[in-house]
């Protein structure tokens, strides 16, 4: 079993839809949770960074962490064609320069 | 945040040769990380590079195949040695910033094709 599971998609939605992207994990020691967006032929771009449980909002993006269920989500409101990319979840067991464990990434396509 | 420049952005290499990838950061960072992203797969950590000490390699990666240098706090190189087609991948440099260093930023990657 992988430490981090993420549905690879692809996920296709119409413009303006609310998108929900999810990851589950098995290691209860994970404390830091991140979402990255990766456009084709580019490096991953940090979107959201969350410590422990709870919600964090940044514009159209909301990250949720439920440590009791070992489940994290990224919601994208009013999705735009420019949101079409691969979204990677990543997590780390400790603060301070620990390696990240990545999900496989979910490919999202937002069509006009 | 951190701005990371990686060179080259892409290369096509003959099997049996070596390629050195450079990573330059716009600020001093304690640790730099090298990842590999194989086609259709997620990122896998190759090694962690500390300035002034030997790199720490993850299971499945060895120094002879992926030697790393870290001469100062803003620069690192990864060499892919004696390449085979299985080494065709995207190689990414990353740094951790912030008080705890957990916010990780990535370079744009080096797309390597071995023929």
């Amino acid at each position: 079993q992988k430490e981090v599971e993420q549905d690879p998609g692809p996920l296709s939605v119409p413009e303006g839809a609310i998108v929900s992207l999810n990851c589950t994990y098995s290691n209860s020691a994970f404390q830091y949770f991140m979402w990255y967006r990766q456009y084709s032929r580019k490096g991953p771009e940090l979107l959201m960074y969350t410590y422990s449980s709870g919600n964090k909002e940044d514009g159209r993006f909301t990250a949720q962490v439920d440590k009791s269920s070992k489940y994290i989500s990224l919601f994208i409101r009013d999705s735009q064609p420019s949101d079409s990319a691969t979204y990677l979840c990543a997590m780390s067991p400790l603060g301070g320069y620990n390696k990240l464990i990545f999900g496989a990434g979910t490919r999202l396509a937002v069509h006009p | 945040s951190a701005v990371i420049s990686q060179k080259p952005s892409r290369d096509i290499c003959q099997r049996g040769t070596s390629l050195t990838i450079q990573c330059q950061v716009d600020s001093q960072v304690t640790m730099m990380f090298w990842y590999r992203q194989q086609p259709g797969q997620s990122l896998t950590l190759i090694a962690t590079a500390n300035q002034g000490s030997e790199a720490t390699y993850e299971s499945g990666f060895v120094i002879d195949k992926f030697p790393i240098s870290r001469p100062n706090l803003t620069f690192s190189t990864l060499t892919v040695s004696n390449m085979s087609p299985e080494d065709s991948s995207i190689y990414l440099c990353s740094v951790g910033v912030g008080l705890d260093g957990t916010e990780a930023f990535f370079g744009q990657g080096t797309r390597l094709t071995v023929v």
Side-chain angles (χ1 to χ4, degrees), chain A residues 5-52:
Chain A
E5 299 278 359
Q6 184 177 8
D7 187 337
L11 183 61
S12 181
V13 301
E15 184 175 356
I18 296 174
V19 176
S20 172
L21 303 165
N22 311 295
C23 288
T24 59
Y25 62 94
S26 58
N27 188 343
S28 58
F30 287 143
Q31 297 286 341
Y32 293 84
F33 304 91
M34 283 140 276
W35 285 95
Y36 287 85
R37 177 174 63 195
Q38 186 174 24
Y39 291 114
S40 179
R41 302 182 182 274
K42 299 288 187 183
E45 170 194 8
L46 181 63
L47 273 180
M48 301 289 283
Y49 168 78
T50 310
Y51 171 71
S52 195

Side-chain angles (χ1 to χ4, degrees), chain A residues 95-106:
Chain A
Y97 312 110
N98 271 279
K99 70 176 186 179
L100 300 180
I101 309 299
F102 281 85
T106 299

Side-chain angles (χ1 to χ4, degrees), chain A residues 51-66:
Chain A
Y51 171 71
S52 195
S53 285
N55 294 359
K56 186 173 183 179
E57 189 173 319
D58 184 0
R60 297 185 295 111
F61 298 92
T62 300
Q64 286 186 353
V65 176
D66 183 349

